Amino acid sequence: MDYSLLLLIFTSAVFEKTWCLNTTESTTSTPNYSISATFSSLYTTVTVPSLVCENKGILQDGICICPDDWTGTTCNIQNFCPEQKPSHTSKFTFPKTVLGQFASSVERCPPETTNAGMHQASALCNIATHSFDSPNILNCSLTLDAINAWVSGATPEQKQNLASSTQILTSIPERLTPHNITNAAQITNILLSDQQTTQTTDIAISAVATISQLLNASHEMYSSVDHTAISELTQTLQKLSLREKPNPLLVQPKMAVQSLKGQTPIRQVQLTSFKGLNDNFLPDRIKLHITEAEVSKHIVDLQMNVTFSEDFDKDIGFVLYDNDQFFQSKSFKPSLDTKRRVISANLQENSGIDQVQFAVTPSAFDINYQYSEALHWISITGCALSVVGLSVTALYQIITRKSRGGTPTLLVVNICLSMTVFYLLFIFGINNPVQHVNGTKMSGENIVPESDHHKYSDQGPCTAFTALLQYFLLLTFTWNTLYGINVFLLFKNSVSGTPPWFPQVAMAVGWGLPAVIVGISLGSTYRVEEPLGYRQEEFCWLASLDHKQKFNIKKPMFWGFVLPLLLMLISNTAILLHFSYKICRTNPNLNKSRKTSLTKKMMSSFSLAVMLGLSWVTGYILMITQEKNLKFILSVVFCLLNTTQGVQIFILFALRPFLNSNPAILNSLRAPEIGLHKKTFFLWKNKIPESNDSYKSTDGDSP
């Protein structure tokens, strides 16, 4: 239990684990065993300074995460083709490009052509030579409609030219309309379906690069795409993964085709994609192992394990999609603003395997909760002392109630009671006792889930603790406000005092208003199957953030706590200002002996501020603070003031009145004072008077 979690009252966040495993909808079936997994990943890192990363690499957990154009342990190995200027071998300029990817020429089609503004050429960055291959040149009058009409009857040589032209025509995402996407999907499907043409490696590479570029199109474009063309293309890619030999050039930024040819019998295959700063697929970041490799989870982007029930010696193919653009579902609507990658694993027909188990592991979707040790000790000490102080204060107020009247006692005792219960609930109930294991649970059902946000049905007492924490904290501030109203009424009716109806109204409002707010919060946001609409997962406190980890005013944290508390604090501040103005005014009709000292006036205002809970204003300042050091300082101040509020109330409303009413005790606690011996010296010559020694006693009341 980390007691610095009191900061959650204002700075809480919904750390929701977002993990889902989906099988994609398909309009037609395929003869191959296949599974597709869609997931969202969220990870945190802790920096361990053991290496010095070069070329803008970032150190995470002792490992350098490199940009796409560099590789190696410290990001010191070149992974790109340098910029190419026009020369006698090529009239085109190609920018610096990552190995294995296509570069688009700087030169564009002239304005008078059909493809005005489109790149005139492309060239593949050769992995072996670290230089560009011969450029593929686009006919600036050629369109995707024309290619789609010609491709079926084209010769292998013509298909190679059409494949490269299609790759160029789809290289600008902003120009990808639904019609263009449909045309390109149909073209690449025809190119990849022909086993004879795909033996020409350049055709397969250009086609895969085209598909990778289609995945760059905006999400809105896919709402009008011909989904039959997309479905046929994904099935063709599954077959391609079983047919093609392993080729690093079939790994493009947004999709990759990997294959493992059956040789010796195996029992499992492990596909691992490693992290990079640019979040793209690269040939050297995707590995296939026939045994389970020990890899640090901090560098793994995704991992898929395929386990067989018996020895397997057939072909296995994988297709990786960087997003789910090709897998739009009519029943499934994503709600999370996170990446949903899709993996398709395919087994050769007639494999004879009775059972295959697939397991997909996303990268580090759990959250590490870390808090300041200083805040921990401030909170635990302050909360414990406050519970004791409030208990003593309530007892003292009850015993001495005849000296001040019933109404003030009623208010102070209720404040002490509600605040004590809140502190105890916070100490023993803020942490959710039900902690979900950070592991993957596989579903054997081939269904499309309702949401991409994993849901846990409500378990344990966390929801009850959340409701009680919300109720008793609101209860505390409601009684604080009623105490302030009582002070205001006393000033307004200085002769008659508090109206006789006030105690009954205070009891109804004090205990009833918080119950109404909690009831509305629970009724509108809580569901047994989805408790996180009302509370958080890791902590038993109100939900405050949406799925994008942004503060959301629709969440109960805002309108079920922050807003009501803000209104109460505004009214309490106004009452304090009115009170301070009234007591600080000098009454000319009073003689000097009857006037109240400035110290006592300030102490009265401070006491009222403590009882009204105005120290919680620092929480609102903390919410809008962005600077890191200032935020930490305010966090310490917030914890210090609010965990010790009970101690402050004890000192001001129990200990101080008790000592003032028993001066003998206060005098006995005074430290003994030492009498001062005084002697006067005269410095001018010949004017020295007689020595004048005296002794002035400072004991007792003697002058």
Side-chain angles (χ1 to χ4, degrees):
M1 167 65 193
D2 194 321
Y3 297 89
S4 65
L5 296 180
L6 184 60
L7 287 172
L8 289 171
I9 301 303
F10 273 93
T11 59
S12 57
V14 184
F15 297 110
E16 294 170 336
K17 296 165 189 159
T18 55
W19 157 242
C20 62
L21 181 65
N22 306 338
T23 52
T24 58
E25 292 182 323
S26 177
T27 54
T28 59
S29 60
T30 63
N32 299 325
Y33 295 98
S34 66
I35 186 170
S36 297
T38 306
F39 64 90
S40 307
S41 62
L42 178 65
Y43 60 87
T44 58
T45 59
V46 179
T47 301
V48 180
S50 57
L51 294 175
V52 177
C53 301
E54 303 177 30
N55 300 305
K56 298 183 180 180
I58 295 179
L59 191 66
Q60 294 182 353
D61 299 290
I63 299 170
C64 288
I65 306 298
C66 302
D68 288 354
D69 50 353
W70 293 92
T71 187
T73 305
T74 60
C75 308
N76 60 332
I77 300 176
Q78 179 179 319
N79 194 47
F80 62 88
C81 295
E83 181 184 17
Q84 176 179 296
K85 299 288 187 178
S87 63
H88 64 281
T89 58
S90 173
K91 64 178 182 179
F92 298 104
T93 301
F94 294 107
K96 172 183 172 182
T97 303
V98 176
L99 295 181
Q101 297 181 12
F102 282 92
S104 298
S105 67
V106 174
E107 292 76 17
R108 308 273 180 143
C109 290
E112 66 274 8
T113 62
T114 304
N115 294 314
M118 181 60 70
H119 301 288
Q120 273 192 309
S122 69
L124 183 66
C125 177
N126 193 294
I127 294 178
T129 63
H130 285 222
S131 60
F132 291 104
D133 289 345
S134 299
N136 304 309
I137 303 175
L138 174 69
N139 180 346
C140 288
S141 299
L142 187 63
T143 64
L144 289 173
D145 286 314
I147 295 174
N148 199 8
W150 299 340
V151 68
S152 296
T155 64
E157 293 76 14
Q158 292 172 331
K159 285 185 177 181
Q160 183 170 342
N161 181 265
L162 294 176
S164 61
S165 297
T166 304
Q167 182 271 317
I168 298 173
L169 289 172
T170 56
S171 61
I172 302 178
E174 293 75 19
R175 292 199 176 192
L176 291 175
T177 64
H179 182 68
N180 288 341
I181 294 173
T182 299
N183 267 331
Q186 292 171 341
I187 294 168
T188 52
N189 182 47
I190 294 172
L191 291 172
L192 296 176
S193 297
D194 190 338
Q195 296 189 27
Q196 292 183 347
T197 57
T198 53
Q199 290 177 358
T200 305
T201 307
D202 291 344
I203 294 179
I205 295 172
S206 295
V208 171
T210 299
I211 299 169
S212 174
Q213 292 168 174
L214 295 181
L215 293 172
N216 279 323
S218 65
H219 183 76
E220 292 74 19
M221 293 295 103
Y222 279 87
S223 60
S224 303
V225 168
D226 185 344
H227 293 288
T228 300
I230 298 296
S231 178
E232 291 175 353
L233 176 59
T234 58
Q235 294 173 40
T236 299
L237 287 170
Q238 292 175 3
K239 297 175 183 177
L240 178 70
S241 69
L242 293 171
R243 188 173 69 242
E244 282 294 308
K245 296 180 180 180
N247 188 341
L249 293 178
L250 295 182
V251 178
Q252 292 298 315
K254 300 303 176 186
M255 81 157 299
V257 177
Q258 293 286 288
S259 60
L260 183 68
K261 294 302 178 182
Q263 297 172 351
T264 57
I266 58 174
R267 285 296 184 100
Q268 74 170 25
V269 177
Q270 184 183 73
L271 171 69
T272 304
S273 176
F274 295 93
K275 289 179 184 176
L277 288 183
N278 303 97
D279 201 25
N280 292 323
F281 295 134
L282 292 181
D284 65 338
R285 291 186 192 155
I286 298 180
K287 305 296 181 182
L288 279 174
H289 301 278
I290 59 174
T291 58
E292 187 170 349
E294 294 293 333
V295 182
S296 171
K297 69 175 184 178
H298 302 294
I299 61 173
V300 172
D301 193 22
L302 64 90
Q303 194 171 72
M304 186 177 201
N305 288 287
V306 182
T307 306
F308 306 102
S309 58
E310 55 188 84
D311 288 345
F312 182 78
D313 58 0
K314 303 294 184 180
D315 296 342
I316 307 172
F318 296 92
V319 183
L320 288 76
Y321 302 86
D322 188 62
N323 55 54
D324 62 346
Q325 300 275 50
F326 285 179
F327 303 92
Q328 302 293 316
S329 170
K330 295 180 180 179
S331 60
F332 170 76
K333 300 299 180 184
S335 60
L336 298 177
D337 188 21
T338 52
K339 176 170 288 188
R340 289 172 294 276
R341 282 178 168 166
V342 180
I343 310 174
S344 173
N346 313 284
L347 306 183
Q348 188 176 346
E349 293 182 72
N350 303 318
S351 60
I353 297 295
D354 296 327
Q355 183 178 2
V356 183
Q357 180 178 354
F358 299 88
V360 181
T361 305
S363 59
F365 55 88
D366 57 308
I367 300 293
N368 294 324
Y369 301 92
Q370 297 179 349
Y371 301 93
S372 168
E373 187 70 16
L375 296 182
H376 166 80
W377 288 109
I378 290 174
S379 298
I380 187 174
T381 305
C383 286
L385 292 176
S386 289
V387 169
V388 176
L390 290 168
S391 301
V392 174
T393 304
L395 183 62
Y396 175 80
Q397 291 284 320
I398 294 173
I399 294 174
T400 61
R401 63 186 180 279
K402 293 182 180 180
S403 64
R404 75 182 66 83
T407 300
T409 301
L410 172 71
L411 296 170
V412 175
V413 169
N414 276 283
I415 290 173
C416 292
L417 176 62
S418 56
M419 195 177 296
T420 299
V421 176
F422 166 73
Y423 278 130
L424 291 173
L425 286 170
F426 177 82
I427 292 172
F428 297 108
I430 191 67
N431 272 0
N432 188 354
V434 179
Q435 299 295 324
H436 297 289
V437 178
N438 294 336
T440 303
K441 293 184 178 180
M442 303 299 298
S443 173
E445 300 178 352
N446 186 19
I447 59 174
V448 176
E450 298 178 357
S451 171
D452 55 359
H453 177 65
H454 189 79
K455 296 180 180 180
Y456 293 107
S457 59
D458 202 4
Q459 298 176 342
C462 193
T463 299
F465 273 117
T466 302
L468 289 173
L469 278 166
Q470 181 190 12
Y471 177 73
F472 277 97
L473 192 52
L474 288 173
L475 185 67
T476 299
F477 280 98
T478 304
W479 282 109
N480 288 342
T481 304
L482 290 170
Y483 184 90
I485 294 173
N486 180 64
V487 171
F488 175 78
L489 292 175
L490 285 174
F491 270 94
K492 186 177 181 180
N493 306 304
S494 57
V495 178
S496 59
T498 305
W501 49 262
F502 184 75
Q504 290 78 14
V505 174
M507 288 294 291
V509 174
W511 292 93
L513 180 61
V516 172
I517 297 175
V518 173
I520 294 174
S521 302
L522 277 169
S524 60
T525 62
Y526 174 75
R527 300 293 182 271
V528 175
E529 65 277 5
E530 180 48 54
L532 301 185
Y534 172 68
R535 63 167 174 85
Q536 300 179 27
E537 179 179 2
E538 188 75 11
F539 310 111
C540 301
W541 183 239
L542 299 173
S544 61
L545 305 186
D546 58 18
H547 296 316
K548 299 179 181 179
Q549 302 300 301
K550 302 294 183 181
F551 187 83
N552 191 339
I553 62 174
K554 296 181 180 180
K555 292 292 184 177
M557 174 69 173
F558 176 75
W559 52 264
F561 177 72
V562 172
L563 184 59
L565 182 59
L566 179 62
L567 297 176
M568 294 180 193
L569 288 175
I570 291 174
S571 64
N572 289 352
T573 303
I575 292 171
L576 176 66
L577 293 175
H578 177 76
F579 173 81
S580 301
Y581 172 74
K582 287 289 188 180
I583 66 172
C584 288
R585 284 195 310 173
T586 302
N587 190 340
N589 297 323
L590 296 178
N591 57 42
K592 185 176 181 180
S593 62
R594 296 183 60 189
K595 291 182 179 179
T596 306
S597 67
L598 179 61
T599 303
K600 290 185 177 180
K601 292 177 181 179
M602 293 178 62
M603 184 59 68
S604 298
S605 296
F606 176 71
S607 300
L608 182 60
V610 170
M611 187 59 77
L612 295 181
L614 295 183
S615 59
W616 285 75
V617 172
T618 56
Y620 288 88
I621 301 175
L622 185 61
M623 288 178 65
I624 61 176
T625 301
Q626 301 297 327
E627 205 280 322
K628 185 177 180 181
N629 293 329
L630 180 58
K631 199 175 188 72
F632 176 75
I633 293 172
L634 288 174
S635 299
V636 174
V637 172
F638 179 84
C639 277
L640 187 62
L641 291 178
N642 294 302
T643 59
T644 61
Q645 188 177 358
V647 177
Q648 299 168 44
I649 291 176
F650 164 71
I651 294 173
L652 296 171
F653 291 86
L655 181 61
R656 185 167 170 264
F658 174 75
L659 295 177
N660 288 339
S661 61
N662 297 272
I665 298 177
L666 188 61
N667 290 336
S668 66
L669 296 176
R670 290 179 177 173
E673 296 182 354
I674 302 175
L676 301 178
H677 184 270
K678 183 174 68 175
K679 187 174 183 178
T680 302
F681 298 91
F682 198 81
L683 301 179
W684 281 268
K685 185 177 181 181
N686 299 325
K687 294 185 179 181
I688 301 176
E690 295 182 0
S691 179
N692 184 18
D693 292 348
S694 65
Y695 181 85
K696 182 179 178 180
S697 174
T698 58
D699 296 333
D701 296 325
S702 58

